[in-house]
Amino acid sequence: MGQPQKPIAAEQQILSLGRVLQSLREEDDVDVLIETTISYLKEEFDYKLIWIALYDRLNHILFGQGGIIPERDQSFLRQRVVLSPGDLLEQVVIEQHPLGVADLQTEIRATEWHKVAEKFHIQGTVILPIRYKDRCLGLVLLGSERWGYLLTGETKARLMMVLGELGAVLYQNEMHKQQKQTRRSDEPLLELLENLRTLSNLNQRLEAAVQATHKFISPSRTNVYWFEREGRYFWCRMSNQLVKIDRNSSTQQSAGITVQELSDFYYALAVNQIVSIGDARSSLKSHFTAKLLQRLKVRSLLAAPIIWQKNLVGFLAVESNEPRIWTDTDRNFVQGVAGLISLVAPTENMEGTIKQIQEDAQLTSQVAQGIYSDNDLQETLQSCAKRILTRLAATRFLLLQYDSEQNNYQFIYQSQPHNRRPLTFTLNTLKELDGQLLQRSTQAVEIENLDEDLRFFNWRPSLLENGVRSLLICKCTHGQIPAPLLIITQETHRSWTTLEKELLWVVSQQIGVIVRQWQLHNRTTQQQKTSQAFEQCLRILTQSQNSIEVEKKHLERAALEQIASILSCPLAIMLSWAPGQSWAEIIPGVIDNSQFGIFSEASILIQAEALIQWALATENYLTLKANNLPPETRKWLNVPDKSQILVMALRTTAHYEITGIVLLVDYQERRWSEQNLSATATLISQLAWWRREKQITRLLESKTEELRQLNWYKHRRLEEIQRITAHSLKQIHDLGTPANELTQMRYQLLLRQLDHTATSMSGMLKLENWQLHISWETMSIASLLKRSLERIDNLLKQQKLWIGVHGLGQSIDEQESPKNSSSARGVPTSSAQSAMAIAGDIVKIELVIHELLLTACNRSQIGGRIDIWCRRLDAPKSSDTKHSSTTGGADRQTSLELSITYNGAIEPQLLTELHDNTPKDILAPSNLDEPPALHLLICQNLIQELGGELNFYQLPDNRVVSRLLLPLVGNDS
């Protein structure tokens, strides 16, 4: 092996850092720790001045521990530095962050180092804290002759690691030292607890607690002060000087402390905080600190609250005539003794407390009974108020309710002594902060001194003017503010116990239920009527969704009846018109009195009728008297002159057309409430939307059906035209140039056929641009079937289908095998059968038959069979009279039944949907939305328009039947 290489500078720094960190971890002596740190800083960093000081947190002083200075006298490095506000050293101690100074000689915030810097030419300086967690334990000052204070990242990292390790070790040493010096408080507390168990009454226990506290802490005096709620003051109940002061004694004034004098002291104790006043330190504001020390004639004070069930009973105080710093041990011991006193204090009045709890339970039980009883509201509240005022020793019992119309709180019930007058004013709405306070509260909100408390500030003048000095306030419901409020007032300053506040809270919630029941009882009758009208009206307006037989006008009349029932009007009508019309139609709804009537046959011009124009010009409803109607309106509206009228347009939105108005007439002596008017307006608006929905639905359904038929019809016609044209052109091409007379004749025939095809296409495009044109023609059924079968000849050959026609007078040769014939056996053309002709739009009927044959071919199996059955029906068909204008005077008693049967698969759901009497939900997914089922639906609707019928069903032997019923031509046609 070779010789070990000499470590480079970076490695040397890391090794040196590791050694010093290890040394700091293993050392306990503070002086050795400081010396080790100074040696490391001297060796590793080029600083002319090094100073390390430890920080005394209690006295805010730095104690120098040594360092490096360019002279032999090291006394300056061990001096004591008292930190002052604005000093650089104090800034580092407080902020616990490194601080740099570019030139220490010119820095005015470090006066004690100013001369040293000038003497030794120190400029760039860095001050770093020695800290552990959030606690500063000292600092390090490093000064150099160079200007500036910039530290490189590597240098700063090493410094912070060394100082961090030093801080951790110093903190552990300090904690260990404190533990050794701390007095053990557990043994005196355990001894006191044993003594309290053996003593019989409260005064003896208080005396033992005072003596134990005085012995442990050794103050000038140790006292127990008791709190009197009626007068809001503390009186000295027990002292270590064995002077027992009774609350009624003549020395009470000298030993008592009123809350009004020192409110901060009282509120700190009330929230279970220890009040500590020592050498230049206080947990209270300086004003109250000086006042409290002057009142007790002491210079140091440590007071721990005595609290039972969240109520301040009193406090234990250790008082010193000299400035004293109270240690954590002192605070813990005083707090522990105060806690022991709070445990034994209730035993003094235990029997009275139990009795009071029983009476409170009885009181809340009696109030709760008022919820279920039939007693009047005033009677229930009177009994409750009497008991509450007696229990809480209060003056007034006030129940408030918010009035939304007046935007204030009004008294709905109040109780007070006979020598006090009821309050006659109202209270403004709560401020936002006060509303939030009540909203979050889970018990009564207490105001002990209304003169000083800023809560409910806008209520103070009125309450103070009427003698209110303290109060308890509860919200009576858990809902949002504003809500009913219960207020208990007193004419003197006082506080209430937690038990009393909880009692009032329970009572207030029960009263809230009673008030709510009372309000609901007043509204129930009226709301029941409105609710029933809403329910009936909405049910009526949704009937048409489930029943296609219900007429629109019948539904409108029924809806008008329900609208009129809300206001109990004897007359309710609707003036209705379609968009673009000039005349309105009268739709009567309710006429319950002979004094009220209408002339339903009257023609009402929309532009000239005043009621219509008034309603159209009003966004909401309009009310007026009958004597304001013009004579033209009185011609068709017969009502007494003093009647009152409500008119409202059937308006949906501002951009939609209005298609009617609703008119309600009532007697003069009745008064319409705002609630009923609002409900009526809502139902009228609902009726308007319903009418608009029906109109839009009818329009869209009609347009959709027309466009579907048109699209299918044109598509099939164009397919046929294309087929014929292509075939004719192929024949012309095959003929070539005519060479003889026969060829020329055939050539001319084909040209005429093309001309006829082009003419039919032009006629279709011209007459049936956006709607179907129904023509009237006749054609024998044999010819029609022959043409239809020719159109599907190629499809029959491809699928090897056999097709037969029955019922036209010619038998089918059953000996011929279906496999040897791919087309029809033949269509008879005898004169007798040719006379059986159908009437109507032959082109459309032919397309329907073609669609049915296509469906049969596509659904049949390869090599299957299709049968066409024809028979004459003499029985009358209801559908024959549907379009009398279409049949053109034909004999509607005679029809032709054309049935196409085949063996093929068809969905049962499709057969159900194609049935005429099956209700169809336009929004629900359906097989009829897409071809080929859509084509069958179009054919079905088209045949109905042509005066026929088209039905689809399946036979027991699984054959599918398309049954077509067409009108036949009569003998006189």
Side-chain angles (χ1 to χ4, degrees):
M1 295 179 61
Q3 294 294 329
Q5 296 182 358
K6 186 176 183 180
I8 60 177
E11 294 178 350
Q12 184 64 37
Q13 292 176 355
I14 295 175
L15 294 174
S16 179
L17 176 62
R19 285 194 298 269
V20 72
L21 293 177
Q22 184 68 25
S23 300
L24 294 177
R25 292 191 194 101
E26 296 176 353
E27 186 58 54
D28 294 332
D29 187 85
V30 175
D31 294 334
V32 178
L33 291 171
I34 299 298
E35 290 298 330
T36 303
T37 305
I38 293 174
S39 299
Y40 175 76
L41 296 177
K42 179 179 179 181
E43 294 175 1
E44 297 295 327
F45 303 100
D46 185 17
Y47 286 104
K48 192 174 182 180
L49 174 63
I50 300 176
W51 181 57
I52 296 182
L54 298 182
Y55 175 59
D56 183 0
R57 183 169 54 90
L58 294 178
N59 298 306
H60 202 47
I61 297 175
L62 288 173
F63 292 94
Q65 302 298 312
I68 298 175
I69 194 170
E71 66 177 8
R72 295 183 178 180
D73 187 8
Q74 302 285 323
S75 60
F76 178 78
L77 299 178
R78 296 189 176 272
Q79 67 177 341
R80 187 180 69 166
V81 179
V82 179
L83 298 177
S84 58
D87 192 359
L88 282 180
L89 300 181
E90 186 194 46
Q91 181 178 346
V92 175
V93 168
I94 293 176
E95 296 181 358
Q96 299 186 24
H97 290 293
L99 180 65
V101 179
D103 189 355
L104 188 60
Q105 300 178 26
T106 61
E107 181 57 56
I108 61 175
R109 295 177 296 170
T111 55
E112 65 276 3
W113 293 96
H114 193 71
K115 294 181 180 181
V116 176
E118 290 181 348
K119 181 178 180 181
F120 301 109
H121 308 290
I122 302 299
Q123 294 190 50
T125 305
V126 178
I127 307 174
L128 302 100
I130 303 172
R131 58 188 298 270
Y132 181 76
K133 294 183 178 179
D134 58 345
R135 186 167 180 177
C136 183
L137 302 169
L139 55 81
V140 174
L141 185 146
L142 304 175
S144 68
E145 295 179 344
R146 298 184 304 274
W147 186 91
Y149 53 87
L150 180 64
L151 290 175
T152 64
E154 179 268 337
T155 303
K156 186 176 180 180
R158 287 190 291 150
L159 278 174
M160 298 308 296
M161 291 176 66
V162 172
L163 297 181
E165 188 64 34
L166 177 62
V169 177
L170 290 176
Y171 179 81
Q172 293 177 359
N173 290 340
E174 183 176 344
M175 292 297 101
H176 182 68
K177 183 178 178 182
Q178 287 184 1
Q179 291 176 359
K180 289 183 177 180
Q181 296 177 353
T182 300
R183 292 169 295 168
R184 295 185 59 87
S185 61
D186 51 352
E187 295 180 358
L189 284 175
L190 291 174
E191 183 180 352
L192 173 61
L193 178 61
E194 186 64 27
N195 291 338
L196 295 178
R197 293 171 56 186
T198 60
L199 299 175
S200 58
N201 58 62
L202 181 60
N203 285 333
Q204 292 177 351
R205 292 170 176 171
L206 292 178
E207 181 179 352
V210 168
Q211 294 297 338
T213 304
H214 193 78
K215 179 180 178 181
F216 185 81
I217 299 179
S218 301
S220 301
R221 290 192 305 274
T222 303
N223 298 324
V224 172
Y225 291 85
W226 223 245
F227 181 58
E228 190 65 31
R229 294 189 173 275
E230 291 294 335
R232 297 181 78 230
Y233 65 89
F234 294 95
W235 58 281
C236 184
R237 180 163 184 173
M238 184 61 63
S239 173
N240 69 297
Q241 301 173 357
L242 299 181
V243 179
K244 300 175 184 178
I245 306 174
D246 186 74
R247 71 181 71 179
N248 298 320
S249 67
S250 58
T251 59
Q252 171 189 325
Q253 192 65 24
S254 61
I257 304 173
T258 63
V259 172
Q260 191 171 0
E261 284 182 298
L262 301 167
S263 57
D264 271 24
F265 177 64
Y266 165 71
Y267 291 126
L269 295 176
V271 296
N272 199 20
Q273 290 184 1
I274 295 180
V275 176
S276 175
I277 302 175
D279 185 11
R281 290 176 177 81
S282 174
S283 59
L284 300 177
K285 296 180 181 179
S286 58
H287 169 69
F288 289 99
T289 298
K291 201 170 183 179
L292 179 61
L293 295 179
Q294 182 181 2
R295 183 70 181 82
L296 296 178
K297 299 179 181 180
V298 295
R299 299 186 65 182
S300 300
L301 174 69
L302 186 61
I306 302 171
I307 293 180
W308 170 252
Q309 290 185 342
K310 300 181 182 180
N311 298 313
L312 181 62
V313 179
F315 66 91
L316 172 64
V318 289
E319 307 165 5
S320 178
N321 296 329
E322 299 297 332
R324 177 169 174 174
I325 297 177
W326 305 107
T327 64
D328 292 340
T329 304
D330 297 335
R331 294 186 181 88
N332 294 336
F333 189 85
V334 172
Q335 188 176 20
V337 174
L340 293 177
I341 295 176
S342 67
L343 294 177
V344 299
T347 58
E348 184 181 24
N349 300 316
M350 185 62 70
E351 293 183 0
T353 302
I354 294 174
K355 183 179 180 181
Q356 192 63 68
I357 292 175
Q358 292 175 346
E359 292 178 355
D360 291 347
Q362 184 180 6
L363 170 60
T364 55
S365 175
Q366 291 177 351
V367 176
Q369 289 176 3
I371 300 176
Y372 307 100
S373 66
D374 296 329
N375 296 336
D376 182 71
L377 174 67
Q378 298 293 325
E379 181 181 350
T380 302
L381 292 178
Q382 182 178 2
S383 174
C384 174
K386 182 179 179 181
R387 292 177 174 273
I388 287 293
L389 292 178
T390 303
R391 168 67 177 87
L392 301 182
T395 306
R396 293 182 184 272
F397 179 99
L398 307 173
L399 185 59
L400 289 77
Q401 175 67 44
Y402 178 73
D403 187 345
S404 58
E405 295 182 0
Q406 302 295 330
N407 194 28
N408 58 21
Y409 279 92
Q410 299 183 358
F411 299 106
I412 60 175
Y413 180 81
Q414 53 181 313
S415 177
Q416 60 281 324
H418 297 292
N419 58 348
R420 300 291 189 276
R421 294 181 180 180
L423 303 180
T424 57
F425 56 87
T426 59
L427 295 173
N428 296 328
T429 183
L430 289 170
K431 299 296 183 182
E432 183 179 359
L433 290 178
D434 296 328
Q436 293 176 356
L437 172 65
L438 288 178
Q439 186 68 39
R440 296 191 300 264
S441 64
T442 56
Q443 67 175 10
V445 177
E446 178 184 23
I447 296 182
E448 301 179 11
N449 187 349
L450 190 60
D451 298 295
E452 298 178 355
D453 204 312
L454 297 180
R455 291 174 296 177
F456 307 99
F457 188 80
N458 57 334
W459 289 4
R460 288 177 59 195
S462 300
L463 295 176
L464 289 173
E465 185 179 351
N466 287 271
V468 178
R469 292 297 178 269
S470 57
L471 58 90
L472 289 176
I473 179 171
C474 294
K475 63 178 181 181
C476 296
T477 63
H478 289 287
Q480 296 289 329
I481 297 296
L485 302 178
L486 176 61
I487 300 179
I488 302 299
T489 70
Q490 179 59 275
E491 295 181 347
T492 60
H493 300 154
R494 66 157 296 176
S495 64
W496 285 270
T497 65
T498 302
L499 186 62
E500 292 171 335
K501 288 185 285 187
E502 291 177 351
L503 170 65
L504 186 64
W505 175 263
V506 173
V507 172
S508 70
Q509 301 307 296
Q510 294 174 340
I511 290 178
V513 176
I514 297 175
V515 173
R516 183 63 176 167
Q517 282 186 335
W518 172 62
Q519 294 172 341
L520 291 177
H521 177 73
N522 293 339
R523 298 176 186 172
T524 297
T525 304
Q526 190 173 3
Q527 288 184 346
Q528 260 184 348
K529 193 175 189 180
T530 303
S531 176
Q532 290 174 357
F534 265 85
E535 182 180 354
Q536 292 294 333
C537 189
L538 294 177
R539 183 182 295 114
I540 290 170
L541 296 182
T542 55
Q543 279 182 355
S544 59
Q545 301 293 333
N546 302 318
S547 177
I548 60 176
E549 293 84 5
V550 181
E551 292 292 338
K552 173 175 172 289
K553 289 186 178 180
H554 172 70
L555 294 176
E556 291 174 339
R557 292 190 182 99
L560 288 174
E561 291 177 2
Q562 298 303 322
I563 294 174
S565 68
I566 296 179
L567 299 178
S568 301
C569 293
L571 177 63
I573 62 173
M574 181 169 62
L575 303 182
S576 175
W577 62 86
Q581 288 185 347
S582 301
W583 299 89
E585 175 188 6
I586 299 177
I587 299 178
V590 176
I591 304 177
D592 287 344
N593 193 296
S594 58
Q595 296 179 350
F596 300 84
I598 57 171
F599 179 51
S600 58
E601 302 299 328
S603 299
I604 301 176
L605 185 61
I606 297 174
Q607 295 296 330
E609 176 52 52
L611 278 176
I612 295 178
Q613 296 304 315
W614 292 343
L616 296 181
T618 307
E619 292 186 3
N620 202 353
Y621 56 82
L622 174 68
T623 58
L624 64 153
K625 296 295 183 181
N627 52 16
N628 295 328
L629 296 177
E632 291 77 9
T633 302
R634 302 299 292 268
K635 291 180 181 179
W636 61 269
L637 181 61
N638 179 27
V639 294
D641 292 338
K642 295 184 179 181
S643 301
Q644 52 186 352
I645 298 174
L646 181 144
V647 60
M648 182 175 176
L650 292 171
R651 178 182 286 105
T652 51
T653 65
H655 304 290
Y656 295 159
E657 288 193 36
I658 299 173
T659 59
I661 66 170
V662 171
L663 181 68
L664 302 174
V665 186
D666 201 356
Y667 304 103
Q668 179 190 14
E669 60 268 15
R670 290 183 183 168
R671 182 180 179 183
W672 293 330
S673 67
E674 291 296 331
Q675 184 179 5
N676 287 343
L677 287 174
S678 176
T680 302
T682 302
L683 284 182
I684 293 176
S685 177
Q686 184 69 29
L687 177 61
W689 279 105
W690 176 83
R691 281 169 52 88
R692 175 175 173 78
E693 178 194 356
K694 295 297 119 184
Q695 292 169 352
I696 292 176
T697 301
R698 289 196 301 270
L699 178 62
L700 293 179
E701 288 177 349
S702 175
K703 290 295 182 182
T704 301
E705 184 176 345
E706 290 179 4
L707 292 176
R708 282 177 172 178
Q709 292 173 359
L710 181 65
N711 181 66
W712 170 83
Y713 166 63
K714 283 189 175 183
H715 188 73
R716 295 305 187 208
R717 282 295 305 274
L718 290 175
E719 282 182 349
E720 177 63 13
I721 292 171
Q722 189 271 342
R723 186 185 68 82
I724 295 174
T725 304
H727 182 67
S728 299
L729 289 174
K730 182 177 181 301
Q731 290 179 335
I732 294 174
H733 181 71
D734 293 341
L735 287 175
T737 304
N740 53 45
E741 184 178 353
L742 179 61
T743 305
Q744 289 180 356
M745 184 172 60
R746 293 184 62 189
Y747 187 78
Q748 293 297 328
L749 182 61
L750 291 174
L751 288 179
R752 282 196 301 271
Q753 187 175 1
L754 286 176
D755 183 63
H756 175 73
T757 302
T759 302
S760 65
M761 183 186 298
S762 300
M764 179 192 70
L765 297 175
K766 181 178 180 181
L767 296 177
E768 300 176 308
N769 186 16
W770 283 109
Q771 60 184 4
L772 292 177
H773 175 74
I774 307 299
S775 62
W776 176 254
E777 306 169 89
T778 61
M779 177 178 282
S780 67
I781 185 62
S783 300
L784 183 61
L785 289 176
K786 182 177 181 180
R787 290 171 54 176
S788 300
L789 292 175
E790 287 178 355
R791 296 177 63 180
I792 63 170
D793 185 63
N794 290 334
L795 185 59
L796 293 173
K797 292 177 180 179
Q798 291 175 3
Q799 297 188 216
K800 300 179 181 180
L801 297 174
W802 188 90
I803 189 165
V805 181
H806 312 273
L808 292 183
Q810 180 179 348
S811 62
I812 299 176
D813 189 357
E814 301 294 343
Q815 300 299 325
E816 184 175 356
S817 173
K819 295 182 180 180
N820 298 328
S821 177
S822 60
S823 61
R825 281 288 298 141
V827 179
T829 57
S830 64
S831 59
Q833 297 303 328
S834 299
M836 190 166 63
I838 60 173
D841 195 323
I842 299 302
V843 175
K844 295 179 176 60
I845 294 175
E846 182 181 352
L847 290 175
V848 170
I849 295 175
H850 174 66
E851 187 70 37
L852 297 178
L853 290 174
L854 279 180
T855 301
C857 292
N858 291 330
R859 290 182 177 271
S860 297
Q861 298 178 356
I862 296 178
R865 171 173 176 162
I866 300 175
D867 292 300
I868 302 176
W869 304 86
C870 302
R871 68 167 178 163
R872 185 188 186 96
L873 296 180
D874 294 330
K877 296 294 180 181
S878 59
S879 61
D880 295 344
T881 61
K882 184 176 181 181
H883 297 277
S884 59
S885 61
T886 306
T887 58
D891 184 10
R892 292 185 294 273
Q893 302 299 322
T894 304
S895 303
L896 172 69
E897 182 186 57
L898 180 66
S899 300
I900 301 174
T901 62
Y902 59 92
N903 286 308
I906 189 169
E907 301 83 356
Q909 181 65 26
L910 176 59
L911 292 176
T912 303
E913 293 178 353
L914 287 173
H915 198 274
D916 287 341
N917 297 326
T918 303
K920 300 176 179 64
D921 185 359
I922 194 172
L923 299 178
S926 172
N927 293 322
L928 304 179
D929 294 336
E930 298 291 338
L934 176 60
H935 294 167
L936 298 179
L937 177 64
I938 293 173
C939 293
Q940 192 178 52
N941 294 332
L942 183 58
I943 288 297
Q944 289 180 357
E945 292 187 11
L946 296 176
E949 289 184 11
L950 177 59
N951 298 308
F952 303 91
Y953 54 92
Q954 196 167 21
L955 297 176
D957 60 359
N958 293 328
R959 283 186 299 163
V960 180
V961 179
S962 301
R963 181 178 178 271
L964 181 62
L965 196 65
L966 299 171
L968 282 174
V969 179
N971 295 329
D972 56 346
S973 298

